[in-house]
Amino acid sequence: MFDTLFPLNVLVYLLSESILGLLLLIAFGVVTKILLQWDFESFTPEQFKREQYAYLINTITLFIFVMKFLLLLYFAYTIDALSILVPGAMCAAGVITANGYGEPLLALKLTILFLLILWFYLNHYDLLSKNHQWFQEKSLLFMVIFLFVVLEMWLDFTYFTHIDTNQAVSCCSALFGQLEGANPLPFGLDTTTLLILFYLLFGLSILTLLLEKPLLYIPSNLLFVYLAYYSMVYFFGTYIYQLPTHKCPFCMLQSEYYYIGYLLWFSLFIGSFMGINRAIIILWLDPSHSLPSRNWVMGLLSFFVGVASLYPLIYYWRNGVWL
Amino acid sequence: MIRIQHLNKSYTQGESQSTILKDINLTIAKGETIILKGVSGSGKTTLLSLIAGLEKPTSGSLLIDQEPIHKLPDLFASKLRADKIGMIFQHFNLMEHLSVAENVMIPLIPRRWHLKKINQQVTQALQKANISHKANTLASRLSGGEKQRTAIARALVSAPEIILCDEPTANLDKENSLRLIAMLKTLHQEGKTIVIATHDPLFEQLSFPHRIIPIENGEIVDV
Amino acid sequence: MFNRAFWHFLTLQLFKERQRHIATLLLSTLLVFLLSSILFISASLRHTLTQTLKAQPDFVISRTQGGSPTATPLAWADELAEIYGISKITPRVYGRYFFKEKRESFLIMGVDFLEEQTHQGLEQLLNESDLKDLLSGKKMLIGEGVKRFLSANFYDNEYKFLTPKGKFVTVTIAQTLPAKSNLLSNDMIIMPLALAQEILGYDQEEVSDITFNVPNPDEWQNISDKIASLHYDLRITNKREVAKSYEHLYNFKGGLFLVLFIILLATFLLILYQRYSMVYSSEKRQIGLLRAMGWSITEVLQLKFAETLLITLLAFLLGVVMGYLYVFILDAPLLSAIFLGAENLERHLTFTPVVELSTLSTIFLIYALPSITAVIIPVWRVAITDAKEAML
């Protein structure tokens, strides 16, 4: 179990997560207390105290949101750096799949960020309302986030303590390649159809965004993200690496590719998170206040599609052929 | 403009409970000047801080322009206070390490205004309070009268409709007190609503229309 | 809200309370300085070692006897040549020569000057030396540390080596190796293969080990297995394993250091928490005044946190810059001794400036995250001061 012997980065990461977890635990205690007795209409000094405590929660959650985001980047970098120790791993892809906890951990992290963005907007609306209208919803969402974070922490520790440095892992070519001839693409698509759908769904997402059709927007954006992932790994990525057999979502995070991976994944996920949250807010909350900016969502998603598309285009322009 | 109904304020310290204000009912029209007359401990200062929204009542309602300031969440209460209320304190309450202009600027900082606009507003307020010539002087170096004028400028800088004064002449000599009263007269003529909590006899002979409300032991005494 | 007026006001506030803030700033800066110095040294050493390792040959085989390395038969090189996929087979002769009087020792490297070297660093060194001169007679190239030692013992031009067979061999100093390759050649003596064999007591058909490269990384496991099965007493190691073992060493040292540092950090955080929890009545009045002037709790929180963050950031910047200067300009006196441990020769080590985003973000996370966490609650408590404090 301790074969990894915990490089400094991993220790710092785990320590940081623990501190945040502790802070969140304190906040959770406070939220529970004030939620149970919250009564906006009452005049008692206790209620006023509760409203003051609510500000503590807001501050803590904002801080945690910023830190979780930074820690995600740090986590990505740490995983990548660990590839030296794990036999067979050439980049983060191999390390993440070193045991069964890696991928769920990553997925959970993204989910938590998504929920935190939602909480952030809920909080914004709550403060702007004259009677703390969203206080209950905000607090319940906070509790959900707390539970997820606890799970995340458990996964953090379990994942890192179960990386066996003596066990070879598959690197991305085995994980994403077509070794056995089976088609790794979803729905049995081929690359061309995948790309057509990719661009179509992008267009649909933008359209439903502009036409203010949130109910259509959510599934189209979700599907877009799903297809974007595959498109990145099986098409755009190969142009970033300029190698038709190099299929990997993580290698593009490395310095030799100018860290473009961070930009691409960031714009895809944050853009989608904001967009989906926007749709949720329009559908189920009172949208009388400022919504997550539509321009930002469009901008981020377009940036993602634009930059990703540039790679194959530039390659073709330079070499006259596709890969 | 300001409507107070069945306002009560009491403090609970462990087992003992002290009632500061009992069933206050008061309506102040726009542009009126009210003198809350009473000795120290009569509750007039507390009433003033309740009107300003600095404290919350134990029961009752307090409406400023129909807005229930006692019930508003902090963000709204603060905005109301920032927009509509200017306060002048007994002990001036200036930040000693800042200059006059910087002190006057404080209420405007949270607004997302351009520095130029802020400076304009500050200059106007300084002129009105007759303290422009000391704009860059450190507050610690001012005389009592000058400090009070700075406080007035600060209270006026956000162009509020309501001015609340808590024993404004308590630390002033007679000359400066008269100057202050003259300034209040000007403000009254501009249509501002003024509420003054004081037991200074000078305020019993104001030359402009006003209403005296005596307060004793937390209750308004009917005259 | 963060307009110019806000920053102006903030600066004035900080300046007023400067005595309180300066103490915090100094302490924080010291902490960051210590942290960044250690991390800079570590990153620099790691970088240098990685670079050094890159220049090393991929594989090394040697013969073992009873588990310990012993003289390797030169014949094994021929066996290697028969395996497909191997290049640059280079037999090596090297060993420690002990100067009994002073109880010092140096590394003697025997080299076939006419062959291409697998070790890139060595290759570079030799390219810069005068080969003709080296090959005429018994000559050697020595490192700076060796030069210093020999001169101190009055051996200016040559030295009489004592071979295990009891014979004396006089070798002349042809050249002193340049200081820039310090890590590599500081206590090293490079001489012709045959000469080294003689001085170190090897037979003509014996060498210390044999190195080679395998250009195709996928073949490493294959070839390694093949060669290992050639002889029962053959031991084979490769570059990646060495890298891994260095990593483990670093991790161990790193972990140790972190544990010690955490104790220091915890103390610091406690002090921080205490200091921010001390709310002077003057501060309460000021906050009360701000609230009376129409500032909302959010705005007061923004002010107070801006104060804290500014100091945190300033300490971070100052500490990192100081750390950089200390490690990369002054070569980290004192600390470097702790890091490098006891060496048999005085090693004047220059640290290659290596500043990676990873190092900076690690410093930031270890310092800033706990610091801000420690002060969140105290700062909030101050910010919610009742506005009626202003009335008192």
Side-chain angles (χ1 to χ4, degrees):
Chain A
M1 169 167 121
F2 281 95
D3 273 344
T4 320
L5 271 190
F6 293 121
L8 186 69
N9 281 8
V10 175
L11 286 174
V12 170
Y13 168 79
L14 289 175
L15 183 70
S16 304
E17 287 273 284
S18 308
I19 292 177
L20 288 183
L22 189 66
L23 195 60
L24 207 60
L25 182 66
I26 294 174
F28 181 76
V30 174
V31 170
T32 318
K33 219 177 95 169
I34 63 180
L35 183 64
L36 288 175
Q37 295 165 320
W38 182 269
D39 179 9
F40 185 72
E41 299 298 318
S42 88
F43 267 153
T44 57
E46 288 83 39
Q47 174 60 20
F48 301 136
K49 249 244 132 39
R50 273 174 231 136
E51 287 171 32
Q52 289 178 332
Y53 271 96
Y55 275 98
L56 178 63
I57 305 299
N58 297 350
T59 315
I60 291 181
T61 314
L62 184 66
F63 173 63
I64 289 185
F65 170 59
V66 174
M67 284 298 147
K68 279 279 174 208
F69 177 71
L70 292 176
L71 275 177
L72 179 63
L73 298 175
Y74 192 73
F75 175 76
Y77 181 84
T78 305
I79 297 285
D80 198 56
L82 272 183
S83 50
I84 303 177
L85 289 175
V86 182
M90 307 283 250
C91 74
V95 184
I96 276 276
T97 50
N99 58 48
Y101 303 103
E103 286 165 311
L105 178 59
L106 195 58
L108 190 60
K109 283 181 175 305
L110 290 171
T111 311
I112 289 177
L113 272 181
F114 172 74
L115 290 176
L116 278 170
I117 293 181
L118 185 61
W119 184 94
F120 178 74
Y121 278 104
L122 258 183
N123 181 51
H124 185 59
Y125 298 141
D126 181 54
L127 288 180
L128 284 180
S129 72
K130 283 200 175 170
N131 54 355
H132 278 294
Q133 190 183 359
W134 302 107
F135 184 76
Q136 261 88 354
E137 288 84 348
K138 186 174 81 171
S139 307
L140 286 171
L141 180 61
F142 177 86
M143 290 174 157
V144 169
I145 294 175
F146 172 74
L147 288 173
F148 278 8
V149 170
V150 169
L151 183 62
E152 183 197 12
M153 270 183 66
W154 177 78
L155 273 177
D156 273 329
F157 279 91
T158 319
Y159 168 68
F160 280 111
T161 49
H162 282 77
I163 299 181
D164 191 348
T165 54
N166 295 322
Q167 178 91 334
V169 297
S170 325
C171 87
C172 44
S173 56
L175 290 168
F176 299 101
Q178 284 146 291
L179 285 180
E180 273 118 63
N183 189 357
L185 294 178
F187 317 123
L189 293 163
D190 62 39
T191 321
T192 323
T193 326
L194 175 71
L195 279 178
I196 295 176
L197 281 177
F198 170 76
Y199 285 106
L200 272 180
L201 276 170
F202 169 65
L204 187 64
S205 302
I206 299 289
L207 201 66
T208 48
L209 190 65
L210 283 171
L211 293 178
E212 298 285 354
K213 300 242 175 280
L215 208 51
L216 282 174
Y217 176 83
I218 295 179
S220 75
N221 193 340
L222 284 174
L223 205 59
F224 171 65
V225 173
Y226 183 66
L227 287 177
Y229 169 74
Y230 283 98
S231 306
M232 279 285 277
V233 173
Y234 291 97
F235 181 72
F236 295 111
T238 60
Y239 283 93
I240 298 176
Y241 311 127
Q242 301 201 346
L243 202 62
T245 51
H246 191 171
K247 299 184 168 102
C248 180
F250 293 105
C251 291
M252 55 184 79
L253 296 173
Q254 294 178 328
S255 52
E256 40 199 326
Y257 305 109
Y258 307 105
Y259 304 107
I260 193 71
Y262 286 106
L263 273 179
L264 286 170
W265 292 121
F266 171 83
S267 52
L268 174 67
F269 281 114
I270 298 295
S272 303
F273 285 174
M274 277 182 74
I276 295 177
N277 275 324
R278 186 173 195 276
I280 291 179
I281 289 169
I282 294 177
L283 286 173
W284 290 296
L285 303 179
D286 170 23
S288 62
H289 301 293
S290 55
L291 295 162
S293 161
R294 191 170 59 185
N295 293 337
W296 270 92
V297 176
M298 286 201 301
L300 284 169
L301 290 179
S302 308
F303 177 81
F304 165 70
V305 172
V307 173
S309 308
L310 266 181
Y311 275 91
L313 286 174
I314 291 183
Y315 184 86
Y316 184 77
W317 182 61
R318 275 210 196 132
N319 301 301
V321 288
W322 302 106
L323 273 176
Chain B
M1 155 134 286
I2 303 178
R3 196 137 67 124
I4 307 173
Q5 287 172 314
H6 303 296
L7 204 67
N8 283 289
K9 178 70 184 174
S10 43
Y11 291 110
T12 331
Q13 200 103 357
E15 289 298 315
S16 59
Q17 188 179 41
S18 47
T19 312
I20 311 288
L21 292 171
K22 291 185 217 137
D23 198 39
I24 305 284
N25 291 286
L26 182 63
T27 307
I28 303 173
K30 191 169 157 72
E32 260 200 285
T33 302
I34 303 285
I35 315 283
L36 293 174
K37 195 168 115 138
V39 298
S40 344
S42 56
K44 58 187 196 305
T45 306
T46 310
L47 182 59
L48 219 61
S49 62
L50 282 169
I51 296 176
L54 298 179
E55 275 188 88
K56 304 240 185 187
T58 317
S59 67
S61 82
L62 216 162
L63 299 167
I64 297 187
D65 276 350
Q66 324 292 346
E67 296 273 19
I69 193 169
H70 60 296
K71 256 166 75 154
L72 290 174
D74 180 71
L75 214 65
F76 290 93
S78 307
K79 188 155 194 312
L80 193 65
R81 203 179 310 134
D83 291 339
K84 299 209 176 160
I85 301 177
M87 295 199 68
I88 299 173
F89 304 95
Q90 181 180 5
H91 297 288
F92 317 127
N93 271 347
L94 299 178
M95 294 205 175
E96 300 280 307
H97 60 289
L98 297 178
S99 72
V100 165
E102 284 158 358
N103 263 293
V104 174
M105 205 194 292
I106 290 177
L108 297 179
I109 294 175
R111 301 185 189 200
R112 291 156 200 246
W113 285 359
H114 219 270
L115 194 63
K116 207 163 107 175
K117 189 170 176 198
I118 292 182
N119 283 333
Q120 260 175 4
Q121 207 86 347
V122 168
T123 316
Q124 269 179 16
L126 289 174
Q127 272 171 353
K128 250 188 159 172
N130 240 322
I131 192 94
S132 308
H133 55 291
K134 295 266 179 178
N136 294 320
T137 317
L138 230 59
S140 49
R141 300 220 182 128
L142 300 171
S143 70
E146 288 166 338
K147 282 188 185 176
Q148 194 58 296
R149 274 184 279 164
T150 309
I152 293 174
R154 183 180 63 191
L156 294 176
V157 80
S158 46
E161 296 164 16
I162 305 172
I163 313 277
L164 303 177
C165 311
D166 183 27
E167 302 275 13
T169 52
N171 287 306
L172 296 176
D173 58 24
K174 183 143 183 218
E175 194 190 326
N176 280 309
S177 300
L178 290 171
R179 279 213 197 117
L180 180 101
I181 291 176
M183 200 155 328
L184 288 175
K185 179 173 177 179
T186 319
L187 292 174
H188 169 83
Q189 284 166 340
E190 284 174 14
K192 303 229 188 276
T193 312
I194 308 176
V195 183
I196 309 165
T198 181
H199 60 268
D200 188 341
L202 272 178
F203 282 91
E204 292 172 29
Q205 296 143 20
L206 289 179
S207 61
F208 55 95
H210 61 281
R211 190 160 43 124
I212 298 184
I213 313 257
I215 293 197
E216 215 175 300
N217 283 327
E219 285 177 290
I220 293 182
V221 178
D222 287 322
V223 186
Chain C
M1 151 149 134
F2 296 96
N3 52 17
R4 270 181 63 193
F6 174 79
W7 295 116
H8 181 70
F9 181 61
L10 179 67
T11 324
L12 287 169
Q13 288 291 90
L14 281 173
F15 187 71
K16 181 192 178 214
E17 303 272 347
R18 61 186 176 281
Q19 271 164 340
R20 284 175 79 197
H21 291 302
I22 280 189
T24 317
L25 185 66
L26 279 174
L27 203 62
S28 311
T29 309
L30 200 65
L31 200 80
V32 178
F33 167 67
L34 190 67
L35 184 62
S36 50
S37 299
I38 296 188
L39 286 180
F40 278 146
I41 293 177
S42 171
S44 178
L45 280 178
R46 200 188 219 148
H47 179 261
T48 313
L49 263 134
T50 317
Q51 295 297 96
T52 314
L53 215 58
K54 260 196 201 147
Q56 299 270 22
D58 293 339
F59 281 89
V60 179
I61 60 165
S62 61
R63 183 160 169 247
T64 55
Q65 188 166 2
S68 310
T70 180
T72 311
L74 197 53
W76 286 9
D78 301 323
E79 294 180 43
L80 285 179
E82 289 172 19
I83 298 182
Y84 190 66
I86 294 186
S87 68
K88 284 202 192 163
I89 301 169
T90 314
R92 302 197 297 196
V93 175
Y94 59 90
R96 290 237 147 228
Y97 183 86
F98 288 86
F99 293 82
K100 297 213 177 61
E101 310 95 58
K102 291 280 174 184
R103 292 194 211 127
E104 301 281 0
S105 70
F106 298 116
L107 184 67
I108 293 186
M109 281 244 15
V111 158
D112 189 344
F113 288 122
L114 298 173
E115 284 278 334
E116 204 184 337
Q117 306 299 320
T118 45
H119 194 307
Q120 292 165 21
L122 194 55
E123 174 85 2
Q124 208 178 5
L125 268 174
L126 292 179
N127 282 338
E128 293 164 9
S129 320
D130 185 359
L131 284 183
K132 230 176 167 191
D133 181 44
L134 275 177
L135 291 170
S136 59
K138 303 200 175 184
K139 300 268 175 77
M140 62 179 172
L141 299 167
I142 61 173
E144 282 260 329
V146 185
K147 178 91 178 110
R148 259 180 282 156
F149 176 78
L150 289 180
S151 301
N153 289 290
F154 307 108
Y155 291 102
D156 289 317
N157 289 321
E158 56 181 35
Y159 184 74
K160 285 192 169 64
F161 288 93
L162 179 63
T163 72
K165 297 207 167 89
K167 214 172 97 180
F168 277 98
V169 180
T170 311
V171 184
T172 328
I173 300 174
Q175 208 185 308
T176 312
L177 293 166
K180 72 172 185 218
S181 53
N182 234 339
L183 207 55
L184 189 64
S185 67
N186 198 34
D187 64 344
M188 200 152 76
I189 304 173
I190 300 178
M191 56 175 62
L193 209 79
L195 191 58
Q197 277 174 321
E198 194 182 345
I199 293 176
L200 294 170
Y202 286 100
D203 283 341
Q204 268 201 320
E205 292 302 307
E206 287 178 333
V207 292
S208 308
D209 57 34
I210 305 175
T211 70
F212 59 91
N213 284 343
V214 178
N216 185 356
D218 292 331
E219 287 294 311
W220 278 38
Q221 194 57 44
N222 238 353
I223 289 180
S224 188
D225 294 335
K226 228 189 246 180
I227 295 175
S229 60
L230 283 176
H231 295 271
Y232 73 92
D233 51 356
L234 189 152
R235 185 176 74 173
I236 180 166
T237 50
N238 69 54
K239 203 157 70 166
R240 282 192 211 142
E241 282 173 16
V242 176
K244 203 164 142 180
S245 68
Y246 269 123
E247 275 295 316
H248 280 293
L249 183 67
Y250 270 115
N251 297 343
F252 176 72
K253 279 192 173 177
L256 205 66
F257 152 73
L258 195 69
V259 167
L260 292 173
F261 188 81
I262 285 181
I263 299 174
L264 191 69
L265 188 69
T267 317
F268 169 73
L269 292 178
L270 212 70
I271 296 175
L272 212 63
Y273 183 82
Q274 293 278 56
R275 178 260 186 245
Y276 277 87
S277 296
M278 282 193 310
V279 186
Y280 297 113
S281 57
S282 64
E283 194 173 1
K284 272 196 170 165
R285 290 193 78 201
Q286 275 196 9
I287 307 266
L289 181 67
L290 289 179
R291 304 271 283 117
M293 295 291 108
W295 285 49
S296 66
I297 294 182
T298 315
E299 282 145 8
V300 177
L301 278 169
Q302 282 172 347
L303 178 73
K304 285 281 145 197
F305 272 111
E307 267 181 29
T308 321
L309 286 174
L310 214 66
I311 298 193
T312 308
L313 226 74
L314 197 63
F316 175 74
L317 284 168
L318 282 176
V320 167
V321 169
M322 277 170 60
Y324 182 91
L325 291 173
Y326 172 68
V327 172
F328 298 125
I329 308 286
L330 298 175
D331 285 335
L334 278 182
L335 262 187
S336 57
I338 301 176
F339 244 90
L340 296 173
E343 295 291 311
N344 61 344
L345 263 184
E346 192 188 81
R347 194 175 274 231
H348 182 75
L349 193 60
T350 320
F351 294 101
T352 326
V354 174
V355 180
E356 296 165 340
L357 189 62
S358 142
T359 319
L360 292 176
S361 41
T362 306
I363 298 174
F364 183 79
L365 279 178
I366 299 184
Y367 160 67
L369 195 139
S371 299
I372 301 175
T373 307
V375 304
I376 284 188
I377 295 179
V379 168
W380 162 79
R381 217 176 269 145
V382 171
I384 60 167
T385 309
D386 258 336
K388 70 172 198 253
E389 300 283 331
M391 308 291 271
L392 297 171

